């Protein structure tokens, strides 16, 4: 079984709810991919949580789609919002993006999301989910989930 969004929700439902809420607070987020020469590329992206998966939809032949077709590794950071408050913490997801070309899956996604067509569609396999937040104005708390491992929480003063 690949570690998809449903795997994370089953393992850590409370943290998954917080992460979904952070991504739901804003439309656009930051995706990091790898260029052909291995250097990072960051771009804006809208994401969807549907049917137990985290989905990326992209314009045809966008550079981020080209990057992910060549090397599926990605890092995704939720939009931190306005000002300096982090409203629930900073959340990041790392993993691999797998392009979907199944017509039924793409049609179901298009029906739900109504993206401009044509489009590339990627489902994700997670390698980690990280939340960082401040607790009681005293501690920096970092929560790290990786597939097959318990949630790790680190507190720093």
């Amino acid at each position: 079984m690949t570690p998809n969004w449903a795997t994370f929700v089953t393992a850590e439902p409370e943290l998954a709810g917080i992460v979904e809420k952070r991504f739901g607070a804003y439309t656009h987020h930051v995706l990091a991919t790898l260029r052909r020469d291995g250097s990072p590329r960051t771009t804006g992206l809208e994401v969807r949580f549907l049917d137990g998966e985290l989905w990326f939809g992209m314009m045809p032949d966008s550079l981020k789609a080209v990057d992910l077709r060549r090397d599926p590794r990605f890092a995704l950071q939720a939009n931190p919002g306005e000002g300096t408050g982090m409203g629930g913490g900073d959340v990041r997801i790392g993993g691999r993006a797998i392009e979907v070309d199944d017509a039924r899956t793409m049609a179901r996604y298009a029906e739900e999301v109504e993206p401009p067509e044509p489009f590339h569609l990627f489902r994700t396999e997670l390698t980690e989910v990280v939340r960082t937040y401040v607790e009681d104005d005293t501690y920096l708390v970092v929560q790290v989930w990786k597939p097959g491992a318990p949630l790790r929480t680190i507190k720093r003063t």
Side-chain angles (χ1 to χ4, degrees):
M1 183 172 156
T2 60
N4 65 0
W5 188 254
T7 304
F8 174 54
V9 170
T10 299
E12 293 297 331
E14 183 179 339
L15 180 56
I18 292 167
V19 171
E20 282 192 45
K21 185 176 180 182
R22 283 291 294 119
F23 277 99
Y26 295 92
T27 302
H28 297 96
H29 306 286
V30 179
L31 176 71
T33 58
L34 295 170
R35 299 171 192 248
R36 184 185 345 250
D37 68 3
S39 63
R41 180 190 318 273
T42 58
T43 55
L45 180 72
E46 295 181 29
V47 302
R48 294 290 192 279
F49 297 93
L50 298 170
D51 301 325
E53 302 283 359
L54 169 58
W55 299 96
F56 300 163
M58 300 174 195
M59 291 172 38
D61 300 319
S62 64
L63 292 175
K64 58 192 158 202
V66 170
D67 288 347
L68 290 171
R69 286 174 146 180
R70 184 181 51 258
D71 185 329
R73 294 176 292 172
F74 72 87
L76 176 69
Q77 182 150 5
N79 185 327
E82 298 178 23
T84 58
M86 291 303 289
D90 172 57
V91 294
R92 300 179 307 277
I93 299 171
R96 291 176 299 280
I98 311 304
E99 188 164 19
V100 174
D101 59 8
D102 173 68
R104 262 204 263 151
T105 302
M106 292 185 71
R108 199 167 57 243
Y109 178 87
E111 185 177 305
E112 181 75 28
V113 177
E114 298 179 359
E117 294 197 34
F119 63 96
H120 292 290
L121 181 61
F122 294 84
R123 68 171 187 78
T124 60
E125 296 177 350
L126 308 182
T127 56
E128 75 173 1
V129 177
V130 179
R131 176 183 180 220
T132 305
Y133 64 98
V134 176
E135 182 178 282
D136 299 329
D137 291 326
T138 304
Y139 301 102
L140 178 67
V141 181
V142 181
Q143 295 176 298
V144 180
W145 175 84
K146 294 186 178 195
L151 181 66
R152 196 173 84 215
T153 301
I154 304 155
K155 280 189 176 184
R156 299 181 185 157
T157 56

